[in-house]
Amino acid sequence: MELTIQKTSNPKPKPDQTKLGFGTHFTDYMLNMDYTQDLGWHNTRIEPYAPFALNPATMVLHYGQGIFEGMKAYRRGDGNVQLFRPRDNFNRLNYSARKLCMPKVDVDHVMQALKQLLQVEKEWVPGVAGTSLYIRPTMIATDPFLGVRASFTYRFFIILSPVGAYYAEGFNPIKIMVTREHVRAVRGGVGDTKTMGNYAASLLAGQKAHDAGYTQVLWLDGVEQKYVEEVGSMNIFFVINNELITPSLSGSILPGITRDSVLKLARQWDMPAVERKIAIDEVIAAQKEGTLTEIFGSGTAAVISPVGQLRYEDQVVTIGQGEVGPIAQRLYDAITDIQYSRSDDPMGWIEPVA
Ligand code: COI
């Protein structure tokens, strides 16, 4: 594989692994790769982490033609570093690319390039419990042009960030608020892709929830505002009558890799697990009847995030006495045990790096 490495003369001091937070520290190197119509993807290179100089007319800055992924590298007990289902992330990037009229990447090529980047940066993979190296592959439209069309040129880059817990609550239950005033995405749109604008579109509702004392927004469908879709930037699961339920991928929901892992593990454990439409009224009714025992979010950043309280209009309901439920706990343990190789990997989800 053609790949050049430019060494830094200025390595940074590593941050305190017990105070990493999320997304504030960046490593010494990044991966870059360019696309033109003539050459396709070319010039794959590992370079010192540095700001970009962008023409102010660069298309991504105006029309949001940009997509990204989120994945993690984990340090095992024996010191080795590994990835969790990384090819699924790059396949999803290609799905996002197709919907945003952007060029696909070659999954084998970017996998190899990522592994080389991680080889160079392996000292940056933290080893303290609950930490990992967050990986952010990103693709942006780079034509300097103000007409609305798909760009002809693109930049793909990967940056790395040593992280701890995503939420200040850690694995403790979060409080969520249902919004009917705002919607995240609609069927036929781009809600099922990891495109930048989806996150921008979530901010105002998120701010309002935060001001009301809630950690995240629970999103309802964009058409009827009746069916549950996602929570914050995560997929959502309910346990009702001992059955695990998650909204089916309707076209406006992100096909989460952690979501898929939860479903596959539950099915392997013979736990009833269904994907179907679930109305917010059904959730509230189940809570009143005492059959709703757990709600949790799933995502790369937080893995599993239990929900302790839910507000829907003027009703505030507590889920599972506001404590972490047994299914959320079991899933969190099972997924993180695989990610850190504290257990074996029957599903073949682990990809070794170094
Ligand atoms: C995830 O948890 O997978 C996310 O998408 C969160 C990320 C945007 C920080």
Side-chain angles (χ1 to χ4, degrees):
M1 182 181 69
E2 292 272 320
L3 183 145
T4 57
I5 302 181
Q6 186 196 327
K7 285 280 181 189
T8 179
S9 46
N10 250 335
K12 299 174 216 169
K14 310 266 186 313
D16 179 347
Q17 292 192 14
T18 62
K19 298 194 182 79
L20 288 174
F22 186 90
T24 53
H25 304 282
F26 301 98
T27 67
D28 290 321
Y29 292 91
M30 64 188 295
L31 183 105
N32 281 304
M33 178 166 94
D34 295 310
Y35 179 90
T36 59
Q37 288 190 318
D38 289 350
L39 298 177
W41 286 112
H42 63 280
N43 196 11
T44 310
R45 58 207 186 269
I46 292 172
E47 294 175 308
Y49 184 99
F52 293 133
L54 288 178
N55 185 315
T58 300
M59 290 187 82
V60 67
L61 302 178
H62 298 272
Y63 305 123
Q65 199 192 6
I67 55 177
F68 66 93
E69 272 302 320
M71 60 221 257
K72 287 172 172 172
Y74 305 87
R75 188 173 290 284
R76 302 156 39 138
D78 64 6
N80 289 343
V81 171
Q82 60 192 24
L83 296 159
F84 180 75
R85 307 187 67 178
R87 284 172 188 275
D88 293 301
N89 287 93
F90 287 126
N91 284 328
R92 188 173 63 183
L93 184 85
N94 280 340
Y95 177 79
S96 299
R98 193 168 75 231
K99 284 196 81 172
L100 275 287
C101 293
M102 303 172 85
K104 285 186 178 185
V105 296
D106 180 296
V107 173
D108 288 329
H109 178 77
V110 289
M111 269 306 305
Q112 277 190 51
L114 171 62
K115 284 187 180 179
Q116 291 226 24
L117 178 66
L118 290 170
Q119 287 279 1
V120 173
E121 295 286 58
K122 50 173 190 268
E123 300 299 313
W124 279 91
V125 183
V128 163
T131 64
S132 56
L133 187 68
Y134 188 77
I135 301 166
R136 174 52 65 86
T138 308
M139 193 195 296
I140 57 172
T142 49
D143 280 8
F145 179 60
L146 292 185
V148 179
R149 59 150 170 81
S151 181
F152 299 139
T153 61
Y154 295 87
R155 165 70 59 89
F156 172 82
F157 61 91
I158 303 179
I159 55 173
L160 307 172
S161 174
V163 299
Y166 186 71
Y167 294 115
E169 289 92 339
F171 187 58
N172 295 316
I174 59 168
K175 292 162 65 178
I176 61 175
M177 183 171 143
V178 182
T179 178
R180 293 194 67 189
E181 196 185 345
H182 303 281
V183 298
R184 178 188 163 274
V186 291
R187 187 160 33 85
V190 290
D192 58 346
T193 70
K194 232 168 154 60
T195 189
M196 299 166 176
N198 286 339
Y199 297 80
S202 76
L203 298 177
L204 180 58
Q207 251 173 28
K208 288 184 184 173
H210 194 261
D211 292 346
Y214 290 82
T215 317
Q216 286 287 328
V217 172
L218 187 146
W219 300 101
L220 299 180
D221 73 277
V223 178
E224 294 176 79
Q225 301 202 326
K226 192 168 159 189
Y227 298 100
V228 176
E229 296 233 313
E230 292 192 17
V231 58
S233 56
M234 296 181 289
N235 294 115
I236 190 162
F237 285 84
F238 301 89
V239 181
I240 300 179
N241 281 323
N242 297 315
E243 183 180 58
L244 194 56
I245 304 164
T246 193
S248 34
L249 298 175
S250 58
S252 50
I253 294 175
L254 190 80
I257 291 154
T258 313
R259 173 188 181 278
D260 184 69
S261 306
V262 165
L263 289 170
K264 291 201 162 101
L265 283 171
R267 286 167 186 158
Q268 195 202 31
W269 297 338
D270 290 328
M271 186 183 285
V274 295
E275 298 168 77
R276 66 165 170 87
K277 277 184 156 184
I278 175 159
I280 186 65
D281 289 341
E282 178 184 344
V283 174
I284 300 292
Q287 197 274 343
K288 300 232 157 90
E289 287 159 14
T291 52
L292 169 72
T293 45
E294 295 187 44
I295 303 180
F296 55 88
S298 71
T300 299
V303 190
I304 298 289
S305 186
V307 173
Q309 200 188 87
L310 171 78
R311 176 164 144 199
Y312 177 46
E313 297 185 325
D314 53 2
Q315 309 183 67
V316 176
V317 300
T318 299
I319 298 102
Q321 287 90 48
E323 315 264 304
V324 177
I327 295 177
Q329 183 74 57
R330 184 173 178 198
L331 285 160
Y332 178 83
D333 291 344
I335 293 171
T336 54
D337 282 351
I338 294 171
Q339 289 171 336
Y340 291 91
S341 278
R342 291 186 296 253
S343 68
D344 52 9
D345 172 30
M347 311 282 197
W349 285 339
I350 290 301
E351 181 117 9
V353 173

